Amino acid sequence: MFAEERKLRMLEPFDGTHFLLYVDHMSASSYLILEFSLPACYPQELPVVTVPFGQVGTRALSVDEAADTAAACCASVANDLGGPVLYAMY
């Protein structure tokens, strides 16, 4: 689903329901780490999304900015339940 240059790391329980995704920007110094936890009824229910770390230039995202970014990921696909929302969030 993701281009080979993207970085994906599975997390326990290693069944594909919990993972980290490194999302870079055109600038090498700007990126996000998105953490996804898929519910049992995915894709009919949105995944839980958090941003454990993000950086814009030389500045790390604040806790509030990280929470806003995670909320924006979910809001951007809220009307698309049942579809490939992970790809759309990415």
Side-chain angles (χ1 to χ4, degrees):
M1 173 164 103
F2 302 107
E4 64 185 43
E5 71 272 6
R6 303 300 181 219
K7 295 183 172 110
L8 178 73
R9 180 176 182 181
M10 292 295 178
L11 300 173
E12 288 185 24
F14 302 114
D15 61 359
T17 63
H18 192 197
F19 57 94
L20 297 174
L21 179 63
Y22 174 90
V23 183
D24 61 349
H25 187 266
M26 290 178 170
S27 164
S29 61
S30 296
Y31 64 94
L32 292 172
I33 305 293
L34 298 176
E35 181 175 359
F36 292 94
S37 184
L38 303 180
C41 56
Y42 175 81
Q44 282 68 37
E45 186 177 319
L46 287 177
V48 175
V49 180
T50 59
V51 179
F53 188 79
Q55 181 173 316
V56 178
T58 59
R59 184 182 66 79
L61 293 182
S62 70
V63 171
D64 289 339
E65 289 171 322
D68 289 346
T69 301
C73 284
C74 292
S76 70
V77 297
N79 294 325
D80 299 325
L81 288 176
V85 296
L86 288 178
Y87 187 75
M89 285 183 195
Y90 169 76

Coordinates of all heavy atoms in Angstrom, one line a residue:
M1 N 0.8 -1.2 0.0 CA 0.0 0.0 0.0 C 0.9 1.3 0.0 O 0.5 2.2 -0.6 CB -0.9 0.0 1.2 CG -1.7 1.2 1.4 SD -3.1 1.0 2.6 CE -2.4 1.8 4.0
F2 N 2.0 1.2 0.7 CA 2.8 2.4 0.8 C 4.1 2.2 -0.1 O 4.6 1.1 -0.3 CB 3.3 2.7 2.2 CG 2.1 2.8 3.1 CD1 1.8 1.8 4.0 CD2 1.3 4.0 3.1 CE1 0.7 2.0 4.9 CE2 0.2 4.1 3.9 CZ -0.1 3.1 4.8
A3 N 4.6 3.3 -0.7 CA 5.7 3.3 -1.5 C 6.9 2.7 -0.8 O 7.0 2.8 0.5 CB 6.1 4.7 -2.0
E4 N 7.8 2.1 -1.5 CA 8.9 1.3 -0.8 C 9.8 2.3 0.0 O 10.5 1.8 1.0 CB 9.7 0.5 -1.8 CG 10.4 1.4 -2.8 CD 11.1 0.6 -3.9 OE1 10.5 -0.4 -4.3 OE2 12.3 0.9 -4.2
E5 N 9.9 3.5 -0.3 CA 10.7 4.4 0.5 C 10.0 4.8 1.8 O 10.7 5.5 2.7 CB 11.1 5.7 -0.3 CG 10.0 6.6 -0.6 CD 9.2 6.3 -1.8 OE1 9.4 5.3 -2.5 OE2 8.3 7.2 -2.2
R6 N 8.8 4.5 2.0 CA 8.1 4.8 3.2 C 8.5 3.8 4.3 O 8.8 2.7 4.0 CB 6.6 4.8 3.1 CG 6.1 5.7 2.0 CD 6.4 7.1 2.3 NE 5.9 8.0 1.2 CZ 6.5 9.0 0.8 NH1 7.7 9.4 1.2 NH2 6.0 9.7 -0.2
K7 N 8.5 4.3 5.5 CA 8.9 3.5 6.6 C 7.7 3.1 7.5 O 7.0 3.9 8.0 CB 10.0 4.2 7.5 CG 11.2 4.4 6.7 CD 12.3 5.1 7.5 CE 13.6 5.1 6.7 NZ 14.0 6.4 6.3
L8 N 7.5 1.8 7.6 CA 6.4 1.2 8.4 C 7.0 0.2 9.4 O 7.9 -0.5 9.1 CB 5.5 0.4 7.4 CG 4.3 -0.3 8.0 CD1 3.3 0.8 8.4 CD2 3.7 -1.2 7.0
R9 N 6.5 0.3 10.6 CA 7.0 -0.6 11.7 C 5.8 -1.1 12.4 O 5.0 -0.4 13.0 CB 7.9 0.2 12.6 CG 8.4 -0.7 13.7 CD 9.4 0.1 14.6 NE 9.9 -0.9 15.6 CZ 10.7 -0.5 16.5 NH1 11.2 0.7 16.6 NH2 11.1 -1.4 17.4
M10 N 5.7 -2.5 12.4 CA 4.7 -3.1 13.1 C 5.0 -3.1 14.6 O 6.1 -3.2 15.0 CB 4.5 -4.6 12.6 CG 4.0 -4.7 11.2 SD 2.4 -4.1 11.1 CE 2.1 -4.4 9.4
L11 N 3.9 -3.0 15.4 CA 4.1 -3.0 16.8 C 3.3 -4.2 17.4 O 2.5 -4.8 16.7 CB 3.5 -1.7 17.4 CG 4.2 -0.5 17.0 CD1 3.5 0.7 17.5 CD2 5.6 -0.4 17.4
E12 N 3.6 -4.6 18.6 CA 2.9 -5.8 19.2 C 1.4 -5.5 19.2 O 1.0 -4.4 19.4 CB 3.4 -6.0 20.6 CG 4.8 -6.5 20.7 CD 5.2 -6.9 22.1 OE1 4.3 -7.1 23.0 OE2 6.4 -6.9 22.3
P13 N 0.6 -6.4 18.8 CA 0.8 -7.9 18.8 C 1.3 -8.4 17.4 O 1.1 -9.6 17.2 CB -0.6 -8.4 19.2 CG -1.5 -7.4 18.6 CD -0.8 -6.1 18.8
F14 N 1.8 -7.6 16.6 CA 2.4 -8.0 15.3 C 1.4 -8.7 14.4 O 1.8 -9.6 13.6 CB 3.7 -8.9 15.5 CG 4.7 -8.2 16.3 CD1 5.1 -8.7 17.5 CD2 5.4 -7.0 15.8 CE1 6.1 -8.0 18.3 CE2 6.3 -6.4 16.5 CZ 6.7 -6.9 17.8
D15 N 0.2 -8.3 14.5 CA -0.9 -8.9 13.6 C -1.4 -8.0 12.6 O -2.4 -8.2 11.9 CB -2.0 -9.5 14.5 CG -2.7 -8.4 15.3 OD1 -2.3 -7.2 15.2 OD2 -3.7 -8.7 16.0
G16 N -0.7 -6.8 12.4 CA -1.1 -5.8 11.4 C -2.1 -4.8 11.9 O -2.6 -4.0 11.1
T17 N -2.5 -4.9 13.2 CA -3.5 -4.0 13.7 C -2.9 -2.8 14.5 O -3.6 -1.9 14.8 CB -4.4 -4.7 14.7 OG1 -3.7 -5.1 15.8 CG2 -5.2 -5.8 14.0
H18 N -1.6 -2.8 14.7 CA -0.9 -1.7 15.4 C 0.4 -1.4 14.7 O 1.3 -2.3 14.7 CB -0.8 -2.1 16.9 CG -0.4 -1.0 17.8 ND1 0.1 -1.2 19.0 CD2 -0.4 0.4 17.6 CE1 0.4 0.0 19.6 NE2 0.0 1.0 18.7
F19 N 0.6 -0.2 14.2 CA 1.9 0.1 13.6 C 2.2 1.6 13.6 O 1.3 2.4 13.8 CB 1.9 -0.4 12.1 CG 0.7 0.1 11.3 CD1 0.9 1.2 10.5 CD2 -0.5 -0.6 11.3 CE1 -0.2 1.7 9.7 CE2 -1.6 -0.1 10.5 CZ -1.4 1.0 9.7
L20 N 3.5 1.9 13.3 CA 3.9 3.2 13.1 C 4.2 3.5 11.7 O 4.7 2.6 11.0 CB 5.2 3.4 13.9 CG 5.2 3.3 15.4 CD1 6.6 3.4 16.0 CD2 4.3 4.4 16.0
L21 N 3.9 4.7 11.2 CA 4.2 5.0 9.8 C 5.0 6.3 9.8 O 4.5 7.3 10.4 CB 2.9 5.1 9.0 CG 3.1 5.5 7.6 CD1 3.8 4.5 6.8 CD2 1.7 5.7 7.0
Y22 N 6.1 6.3 9.2 CA 6.9 7.5 9.1 C 6.5 8.2 7.8 O 6.5 7.6 6.7 CB 8.4 7.1 9.0 CG 9.4 8.3 8.6 CD1 9.9 9.0 9.7 CD2 9.7 8.6 7.3 CE1 10.8 10.0 9.4 CE2 10.6 9.6 7.0 CZ 11.1 10.3 8.1 OH 12.0 11.4 7.8
V23 N 6.0 9.5 7.9 CA 5.5 10.2 6.8 C 6.4 11.5 6.6 O 6.4 12.3 7.5 CB 4.1 10.7 7.0 CG1 3.6 11.4 5.7 CG2 3.2 9.5 7.3
D24 N 7.2 11.5 5.5 CA 8.1 12.6 5.3 C 7.4 13.7 4.4 O 6.4 13.5 3.8 CB 9.4 12.2 4.7 CG 9.3 11.5 3.4 OD1 8.1 11.2 3.0 OD2 10.3 11.3 2.8
H25 N 8.1 14.8 4.4 CA 7.7 15.9 3.6 C 8.8 16.2 2.5 O 9.8 15.5 2.6 CB 7.5 17.2 4.5 CG 6.9 18.4 3.8 ND1 7.7 19.3 3.2 CD2 5.6 18.7 3.5 CE1 6.9 20.2 2.7 NE2 5.7 19.9 2.8
M26 N 8.5 17.0 1.6 CA 9.6 17.3 0.6 C 10.9 17.7 1.3 O 11.9 17.4 0.8 CB 9.1 18.3 -0.4 CG 8.0 17.8 -1.3 SD 7.5 19.2 -2.4 CE 6.5 18.4 -3.5
S27 N 10.7 18.4 2.4 CA 11.9 18.8 3.1 C 12.3 17.7 4.0 O 11.5 17.2 4.8 CB 11.5 20.1 4.0 OG 12.5 20.3 5.0
A28 N 13.5 17.3 4.0 CA 14.0 16.2 4.8 C 13.9 16.5 6.3 O 13.8 15.5 7.1 CB 15.5 15.9 4.5
S29 N 13.8 17.7 6.7 CA 13.7 18.0 8.1 C 12.3 18.1 8.6 O 12.0 18.5 9.8 CB 14.4 19.3 8.4 OG 13.9 20.4 7.7
S30 N 11.3 17.8 7.8 CA 9.9 17.9 8.2 C 9.2 16.5 8.0 O 9.3 16.0 6.9 CB 9.1 18.9 7.4 OG 9.6 20.2 7.7
Y31 N 8.7 16.0 9.1 CA 8.1 14.7 9.0 C 7.2 14.4 10.2 O 7.2 15.2 11.2 CB 9.1 13.6 9.0 CG 10.0 13.5 10.2 CD1 9.7 12.6 11.2 CD2 11.1 14.3 10.4 CE1 10.4 12.5 12.4 CE2 11.9 14.2 11.5 CZ 11.6 13.3 12.5 OH 12.3 13.2 13.6
L32 N 6.4 13.4 10.1 CA 5.5 12.9 11.2 C 5.7 11.4 11.4 O 6.0 10.7 10.5 CB 4.0 13.1 10.8 CG 3.4 14.5 10.7 CD1 2.0 14.4 10.1 CD2 3.4 15.2 12.0
I33 N 5.5 11.0 12.6 CA 5.4 9.6 13.0 C 3.9 9.4 13.3 O 3.4 10.0 14.3 CB 6.3 9.2 14.1 CG1 7.7 9.5 13.9 CG2 6.1 7.7 14.4 CD1 8.4 8.8 12.8
L34 N 3.2 8.7 12.5 CA 1.8 8.4 12.8 C 1.7 7.0 13.4 O 2.3 6.0 13.0 CB 0.9 8.4 11.6 CG 0.9 9.7 10.8 CD1 0.1 9.6 9.5 CD2 0.2 10.8 11.7
E35 N 0.9 6.9 14.5 CA 0.7 5.6 15.1 C -0.8 5.2 14.9 O -1.7 6.0 15.2 CB 1.0 5.6 16.6 CG 0.8 4.3 17.3 CD 1.2 4.3 18.8 OE1 1.6 5.4 19.3 OE2 1.0 3.3 19.4
F36 N -1.0 4.0 14.3 CA -2.3 3.5 14.0 C -2.6 2.3 14.9 O -1.8 1.4 15.0 CB -2.4 3.1 12.5 CG -2.3 4.3 11.6 CD1 -1.1 4.6 11.0 CD2 -3.5 5.0 11.3 CE1 -1.1 5.7 10.1 CE2 -3.4 6.0 10.4 CZ -2.2 6.4 9.8
S37 N -3.8 2.3 15.4 CA -4.3 1.1 16.0 C -5.7 0.8 15.4 O -6.6 1.6 15.5 CB -4.5 1.3 17.5 OG -4.9 0.2 18.2
L38 N -5.8 -0.3 14.7 CA -7.0 -0.7 14.0 C -8.0 -1.4 14.9 O -7.6 -2.4 15.5 CB -6.7 -1.5 12.8 CG -5.7 -0.9 11.8 CD1 -5.5 -1.9 10.6 CD2 -6.1 0.4 11.3
P39 N -9.2 -1.0 14.9 CA -10.2 -1.7 15.7 C -10.6 -3.0 14.9 O -10.4 -3.2 13.7 CB -11.4 -0.8 15.7 CG -11.3 0.1 14.5 CD -9.8 0.2 14.3
A40 N -11.2 -3.9 15.6 CA -11.6 -5.2 15.1 C -12.5 -5.1 13.9 O -12.5 -5.9 12.9 CB -12.2 -6.1 16.1
C41 N -13.4 -4.0 13.9 CA -14.3 -3.8 12.8 C -13.9 -2.8 11.7 O -14.7 -2.3 11.0 CB -15.7 -3.4 13.4 SG -15.6 -1.9 14.4
Y42 N -12.6 -2.6 11.7 CA -12.0 -1.8 10.6 C -12.3 -2.5 9.3 O -12.2 -3.7 9.2 CB -10.5 -1.6 10.8 CG -9.9 -0.8 9.6 CD1 -10.0 0.6 9.6 CD2 -9.2 -1.5 8.6 CE1 -9.4 1.2 8.5 CE2 -8.7 -0.8 7.5 CZ -8.8 0.5 7.5 OH -8.2 1.2 6.4
P43 N -12.8 -1.8 8.2 CA -12.8 -0.4 8.0 C -14.1 0.3 8.3 O -14.3 1.5 8.0 CB -12.5 -0.3 6.5 CG -13.1 -1.5 5.9 CD -13.0 -2.6 7.0
Q44 N -15.0 -0.4 8.9 CA -16.3 0.3 9.3 C -16.2 1.2 10.4 O -17.1 2.0 10.7 CB -17.4 -0.8 9.6 CG -18.0 -1.4 8.4 CD -17.0 -2.3 7.6 OE1 -16.2 -3.0 8.2 NE2 -17.1 -2.3 6.3
E45 N -15.1 1.2 11.1 CA -14.8 2.1 12.2 C -13.4 2.7 12.0 O -12.5 2.0 11.5 CB -14.8 1.3 13.6 CG -14.7 2.2 14.8 CD -14.8 1.3 16.1 OE1 -15.7 0.5 16.1 OE2 -14.0 1.6 17.0
L46 N -13.2 3.9 12.3 CA -11.9 4.6 12.1 C -10.9 4.0 13.1 O -11.2 3.6 14.2 CB -12.1 6.1 12.4 CG -12.8 6.9 11.4 CD1 -12.9 8.4 11.8 CD2 -12.1 6.9 10.0
P47 N -9.6 4.0 12.6 CA -8.5 3.6 13.5 C -8.3 4.7 14.5 O -8.6 5.8 14.3 CB -7.3 3.5 12.5 CG -7.7 4.3 11.3 CD -9.2 4.3 11.2
V48 N -7.6 4.3 15.6 CA -7.2 5.3 16.6 C -5.8 5.8 16.0 O -4.9 5.0 15.7 CB -7.0 4.6 18.0 CG1 -6.4 5.6 18.9 CG2 -8.3 4.1 18.5
V49 N -5.7 7.1 15.9 CA -4.5 7.7 15.3 C -3.9 8.6 16.4 O -4.6 9.4 17.0 CB -4.8 8.5 14.1 CG1 -3.5 9.1 13.5 CG2 -5.5 7.6 13.0
T50 N -2.6 8.5 16.6 CA -1.9 9.4 17.4 C -0.6 9.8 16.7 O -0.2 9.2 15.7 CB -1.5 8.8 18.8 OG1 -0.6 7.7 18.6 CG2 -2.7 8.4 19.6
V51 N 0.0 10.9 17.1 CA 1.2 11.4 16.5 C 2.2 11.5 17.7 O 2.3 12.5 18.4 CB 1.0 12.8 15.9 CG1 2.4 13.3 15.3 CG2 0.0 12.7 14.8
P52 N 3.0 10.4 17.9 CA 4.0 10.4 19.0 C 5.1 11.4 18.8 O 5.7 11.9 19.7 CB 4.5 9.0 19.0 CG 4.0 8.3 17.8 CD 2.9 9.1 17.2
F53 N 5.4 11.8 17.5 CA 6.4 12.7 17.2 C 6.2 13.3 15.8 O 5.8 12.7 14.9 CB 7.8 12.1 17.3 CG 8.9 13.2 17.2 CD1 9.2 13.9 18.3 CD2 9.6 13.4 16.0 CE1 10.2 14.9 18.2 CE2 10.5 14.4 15.9 CZ 10.9 15.2 17.0
G54 N 6.5 14.6 15.7 CA 6.5 15.3 14.4 C 7.5 16.4 14.5 O 7.8 17.0 15.6
Q55 N 8.0 16.8 13.3 CA 9.0 17.9 13.3 C 8.7 18.7 12.0 O 8.5 18.2 11.0 CB 10.4 17.3 13.2 CG 11.5 18.3 13.2 CD 12.9 17.7 13.3 OE1 13.1 16.8 14.1 NE2 13.8 18.1 12.4
V56 N 8.8 20.0 12.2 CA 8.7 21.0 11.1 C 9.9 21.8 11.1 O 10.1 22.6 12.1 CB 7.4 21.9 11.2 CG1 7.4 22.9 10.1 CG2 6.1 21.0 11.3
G57 N 10.8 21.6 10.1 CA 12.1 22.3 10.2 C 12.9 21.8 11.3 O 13.1 20.6 11.5
T58 N 13.3 22.7 12.2 CA 14.1 22.2 13.4 C 13.2 22.2 14.6 O 13.7 21.9 15.7 CB 15.3 23.2 13.6 OG1 14.8 24.5 13.8 CG2 16.2 23.2 12.4
R59 N 11.9 22.4 14.5 CA 11.0 22.5 15.7 C 10.2 21.3 15.8 O 9.5 20.9 14.8 CB 10.2 23.8 15.5 CG 9.3 24.0 16.7 CD 8.4 25.2 16.5 NE 7.4 25.1 15.4 CZ 6.3 24.4 15.5 NH1 6.0 23.8 16.6 NH2 5.5 24.3 14.4
A60 N 10.2 20.7 16.9 CA 9.3 19.5 17.2 C 7.9 20.0 17.4 O 7.7 21.1 18.0 CB 9.8 18.7 18.4
L61 N 6.9 19.2 17.0 CA 5.5 19.6 17.3 C 5.2 19.6 18.8 O 5.7 18.7 19.5 CB 4.5 18.6 16.6 CG 4.5 18.6 15.1 CD1 3.5 17.5 14.6 CD2 4.2 19.9 14.5
S62 N 4.4 20.5 19.2 CA 3.9 20.5 20.6 C 2.9 19.4 20.8 O 2.4 18.8 19.8 CB 3.3 21.8 21.0 OG 2.1 22.0 20.3
V63 N 2.6 19.1 22.0 CA 1.6 18.0 22.3 C 0.3 18.4 21.7 O -0.4 17.6 21.1 CB 1.5 17.9 23.9 CG1 0.3 17.0 24.2 CG2 2.8 17.3 24.4
D64 N -0.1 19.7 21.8 CA -1.4 20.1 21.2 C -1.4 20.0 19.7 O -2.3 19.6 19.1 CB -1.7 21.6 21.6 CG -2.1 21.7 23.1 OD1 -2.5 20.7 23.7 OD2 -1.9 22.8 23.6
E65 N -0.2 20.4 19.1 CA -0.1 20.3 17.6 C -0.2 18.8 17.1 O -0.8 18.5 16.1 CB 1.2 20.9 17.1 CG 1.2 22.4 17.2 CD 2.6 23.0 16.9 OE1 3.6 22.4 17.3 OE2 2.6 24.1 16.3
A66 N 0.4 18.0 17.9 CA 0.4 16.5 17.6 C -1.1 16.0 17.7 O -1.5 15.3 16.8 CB 1.3 15.7 18.5
A67 N -1.8 16.4 18.7 CA -3.2 16.0 18.9 C -4.0 16.6 17.8 O -4.9 15.8 17.2 CB -3.7 16.4 20.3
D68 N -3.8 17.8 17.4 CA -4.6 18.4 16.3 C -4.3 17.7 15.0 O -5.2 17.5 14.2 CB -4.2 19.9 16.2 CG -4.8 20.8 17.3 OD1 -5.6 20.3 18.1 OD2 -4.3 21.9 17.5
T69 N -3.1 17.3 14.8 CA -2.7 16.6 13.5 C -3.4 15.3 13.5 O -4.0 14.9 12.4 CB -1.2 16.4 13.4 OG1 -0.6 17.7 13.5 CG2 -0.8 15.7 12.2
A70 N -3.4 14.5 14.6 CA -4.1 13.2 14.6 C -5.6 13.4 14.4 O -6.2 12.6 13.6 CB -3.8 12.5 15.9
A71 N -6.2 14.4 15.0 CA -7.6 14.7 14.8 C -7.9 15.0 13.4 O -8.9 14.6 12.8 CB -8.1 15.8 15.8
A72 N -7.0 15.8 12.7 CA -7.2 16.2 11.3 C -7.2 15.0 10.4 O -7.9 14.9 9.5 CB -6.2 17.2 10.9
C73 N -6.3 14.0 10.7 CA -6.2 12.8 9.9 C -7.6 12.1 10.0 O -8.1 11.7 8.9 CB -5.2 11.8 10.5 SG -3.5 12.3 10.1
C74 N -8.1 11.9 11.2 CA -9.4 11.3 11.3 C -10.6 12.1 10.7 O -11.4 11.5 10.0 CB -9.7 11.0 12.8 SG -8.6 9.7 13.5
A75 N -10.6 13.4 10.9 CA -11.6 14.2 10.3 C -11.6 14.2 8.8 O -12.7 14.2 8.2 CB -11.5 15.6 10.9
S76 N -10.4 14.1 8.2 CA -10.3 14.1 6.8 C -11.0 12.9 6.1 O -11.3 13.0 4.9 CB -8.9 14.2 6.3 OG -8.2 13.1 6.6
V77 N -11.2 11.8 6.8 CA -11.8 10.6 6.3 C -13.1 10.2 7.0 O -13.6 9.1 6.7 CB -10.7 9.5 6.3 CG1 -9.5 9.8 5.5 CG2 -10.4 9.1 7.7
A78 N -13.6 11.0 7.8 CA -14.7 10.6 8.6 C -15.9 10.2 7.8 O -16.7 9.3 8.2 CB -15.1 11.7 9.6
N79 N -16.1 10.8 6.6 CA -17.2 10.4 5.7 C -16.9 9.3 4.8 O -17.8 8.9 4.0 CB -17.6 11.7 4.9 CG -18.1 12.8 5.8 OD1 -18.8 12.5 6.8 ND2 -17.8 14.0 5.4
D80 N -15.7 8.7 4.9 CA -15.3 7.6 4.0 C -15.2 6.2 4.7 O -14.5 5.4 4.2 CB -14.0 7.9 3.4 CG -14.0 9.2 2.6 OD1 -15.1 9.5 1.9 OD2 -13.0 10.0 2.5
L81 N -16.0 6.0 5.7 CA -15.9 4.7 6.4 C -16.2 3.6 5.5 O -17.1 3.7 4.6 CB -16.9 4.7 7.6 CG -16.5 5.6 8.8 CD1 -17.5 5.5 9.9 CD2 -15.1 5.1 9.4
G82 N -15.5 2.5 5.6 CA -15.7 1.4 4.8 C -14.8 1.4 3.6 O -14.7 0.4 2.9
G83 N -14.0 2.4 3.4 CA -13.1 2.5 2.3 C -11.6 2.5 2.8 O -11.4 2.3 4.0
P84 N -10.7 2.8 1.9 CA -9.3 2.7 2.3 C -8.8 4.0 3.1 O -8.0 4.8 2.5 CB -8.6 2.6 1.0 CG -9.5 3.3 0.0 CD -10.9 3.0 0.5
V85 N -9.3 4.2 4.3 CA -9.0 5.4 5.0 C -7.6 5.5 5.4 O -7.1 6.7 5.5 CB -10.0 5.6 6.2 CG1 -11.4 5.7 5.8 CG2 -9.8 4.5 7.2
L86 N -6.9 4.5 5.6 CA -5.5 4.6 6.0 C -4.7 5.3 4.9 O -3.9 6.1 5.1 CB -4.9 3.2 6.3 CG -5.3 2.5 7.5 CD1 -4.6 1.1 7.6 CD2 -5.0 3.3 8.7
Y87 N -4.9 4.9 3.7 CA -4.2 5.5 2.5 C -4.6 7.0 2.4 O -3.7 7.8 2.2 CB -4.5 4.8 1.2 CG -3.7 5.3 0.1 CD1 -2.4 4.9 0.0 CD2 -4.3 6.1 -0.9 CE1 -1.6 5.4 -1.1 CE2 -3.5 6.6 -1.9 CZ -2.2 6.2 -2.0 OH -1.4 6.7 -3.1
A88 N -5.8 7.3 2.6 CA -6.3 8.7 2.6 C -5.6 9.5 3.7 O -5.3 10.7 3.4 CB -7.8 8.8 2.6
M89 N -5.5 9.0 4.9 CA -4.8 9.7 6.0 C -3.4 9.9 5.6 O -2.8 11.0 5.9 CB -5.0 8.9 7.3 CG -6.3 8.9 7.9 SD -6.2 8.0 9.5 CE -7.9 7.8 9.8
Y90 N -2.8 8.9 5.1 CA -1.4 9.0 4.7 C -1.1 10.1 3.7 O -0.3 10.9 3.8 CB -0.9 7.7 4.2 CG 0.5 7.7 3.6 CD1 1.6 7.8 4.4 CD2 0.6 7.7 2.2 CE1 2.8 7.8 3.8 CE2 1.9 7.7 1.6 CZ 3.0 7.8 2.4 OH 4.2 7.8 1.9

